[in-house]
Amino acid sequence: MGAAMLNLGTPIITTFGSVLILFPTLFSFGMAADSLKSFILSEFKDLQHRCHDAMKSPKGLDVDDSFLQKCMMKCQGVTSNFPTTISGGQVSYYIQQYAEAILDFTYHDENVLSDADFPEKNAKERIAKIFSYLDKVSEMCLVVSPNSKPEELLGNELAECLLWRRGALLYGYCATIHGEKERRDRQVVELRQNLQMGVHYLLMLFKIRNTVFGTTHVPNDNETLELLKRGIYSETHLLALMYGGEMCYWFISTTKDETESERAARAIGLEMLNTCVQAIESIPELQAGWNTERAKELITAMNS
């Protein structure tokens, strides 16, 4: 799940990197300049304090604090050098810095949770807490610029990363529950809810660039155009298709009923998996590093 810490893995399209990330130059801010500055600075200070407390809290000797340290350094860098006045371009920059710090902060908790195999006694609450921190980024965007989409302030990669991290965390959680029959039976209702939520986040990942980028800007390269039409901009997008397809399969396999929910999950899962397989098999540069065997097994199972 760590493939996309602050980026979305290895870019498949690298030639057009400067085109893919577009930042608007004008925003309609939701508060006066002084209030805006105080709000942003207070959010950094609050995260810095939380990070400090987390680093000081008791933990096992094998727990890696490196992501907490990265978060602390980023917060300290901002709070110690915050400007006396703040312009539109700086607002977008500081929101991006805050998002990166939040991603570092929560990634520490995600690793600890994953290493502990998502303990049944508190995994649900700990995941909810992680999500609440990730939500703070979009909440900040809404407060700062109510009329702007979060991706307009954050940029494509950070907006996608926030969705990816939610979906990937739920994938790991659901994989753990699904892999233990007794636990799966006990938590089947929660499992199905989390599978639906995880697929939702992974699907949303593919909608970010549709709102800010068109393939008409891309040179005439058939392979590149084919990937862009499928919404695939990096290897993590491929992994999201695989994760989403498998989560749909798990959702179907948790019941013998064939309701509208199961039919929808089947259709979505097949679309995600077929898109993944077709992309890999049609692009030679992907074939060396990707294996479609598991995806094809799931496709066969969902078609049976």
Side-chain angles (χ1 to χ4, degrees):
M1 291 185 294
M5 181 50 235
L6 293 180
N7 57 67
L8 291 184
T10 304
I12 294 171
I13 301 92
T14 57
T15 308
F16 319 112
S18 61
V19 179
L20 295 179
I21 302 176
L22 305 178
F23 298 97
T25 55
L26 296 175
F27 299 105
S28 176
F29 297 123
M31 57 179 68
D34 287 344
S35 298
L36 183 63
K37 174 188 170 184
S38 298
F39 170 70
I40 294 174
L41 185 58
S42 68
E43 291 297 307
F44 272 101
K45 288 182 176 179
D46 179 70
L47 181 57
Q48 183 175 330
H49 291 151
R50 292 179 185 274
C51 190
H52 178 269
D53 291 343
M55 292 175 67
K56 294 297 183 181
S57 64
K59 56 181 71 68
L61 295 176
D62 58 342
V63 174
D64 183 5
D65 271 354
S66 59
F67 286 101
L68 290 178
Q69 293 171 11
K70 287 178 64 178
C71 176
M72 176 66 78
M73 290 178 62
K74 188 171 291 291
C75 290
Q76 289 176 337
V78 169
T79 56
S80 62
N81 296 288
F82 206 72
T84 54
T85 58
I86 188 167
S87 64
Q90 287 175 311
V91 169
S92 182
Y93 167 77
Y94 284 117
I95 290 177
Q96 291 163 31
Q97 291 290 295
Y98 182 76
E100 292 180 1
I102 283 285
L103 286 167
D104 282 329
F105 182 76
T106 54
Y107 197 58
H108 169 83
D109 288 343
E110 290 176 34
N111 284 334
V112 172
L113 191 56
S114 179
D115 290 344
D117 292 326
F118 298 92
E120 189 171 349
K121 64 179 181 180
N122 62 7
K124 179 179 179 180
E125 291 73 21
R126 290 165 70 178
I127 289 173
K129 185 176 181 180
I130 290 170
F131 277 25
S132 71
Y133 282 112
L134 294 174
D135 287 341
K136 288 177 73 67
V137 178
S138 56
E139 290 167 3
M140 176 183 278
C141 292
L142 181 62
V143 170
V144 167
S145 187
N147 298 321
S148 300
K149 295 185 174 74
E151 58 266 29
E152 293 175 332
L153 292 163
L154 294 167
N156 296 339
E157 288 198 5
L158 279 172
E160 288 171 343
C161 191
L162 288 163
L163 292 167
W164 160 253
R165 289 278 291 277
R166 290 178 172 91
L169 180 59
L170 288 174
Y171 173 86
Y173 182 37
C174 292
T176 299
I177 297 174
H178 190 269
E180 302 174 13
K181 185 180 184 307
E182 291 184 0
R183 184 174 179 181
R184 181 173 69 241
D185 292 341
R186 288 193 302 271
Q187 296 183 262
V188 65
V189 174
E190 181 186 346
L191 173 62
R192 286 171 62 83
Q193 291 173 344
N194 284 321
L195 288 169
Q196 288 180 306
M197 192 183 307
V199 172
H200 166 75
Y201 286 128
L202 294 174
L203 286 173
M204 289 298 293
L205 187 155
F206 290 89
K207 297 183 181 295
I208 295 294
R209 304 202 193 213
N210 289 347
T211 63
V212 294
F213 181 74
T215 55
T216 55
H217 296 84
V218 181
N220 187 21
D221 180 329
N222 289 337
E223 292 182 355
T224 298
L225 281 172
E226 189 61 29
L227 287 169
L228 294 178
K229 288 175 182 178
R230 298 175 191 271
I232 300 170
Y233 294 81
S234 74
E235 291 189 0
T236 298
H237 288 83
L238 282 175
L239 192 56
L241 291 172
M242 186 66 212
Y243 278 9
E246 189 162 22
M247 293 172 86
C248 287
Y249 170 73
W250 292 338
F251 183 84
I252 296 168
S253 69
T254 58
T255 179
K256 295 180 180 180
D257 297 331
E258 182 71 14
T259 68
E260 186 63 32
S261 294
E262 279 68 45
R263 287 190 287 272
R266 190 185 306 277
I268 293 169
L270 285 171
E271 182 177 0
M272 296 182 84
L273 291 168
N274 280 315
T275 299
C276 182
V277 171
Q278 291 165 12
I280 293 170
E281 292 187 342
S282 64
I283 308 298
E285 68 182 77
L286 296 180
Q287 295 172 15
W290 286 83
N291 188 321
T292 60
E293 183 176 339
R294 175 59 176 164
K296 288 179 178 179
E297 288 177 359
L298 294 171
I299 290 170
T300 299
M302 282 196 280
N303 277 324
S304 61

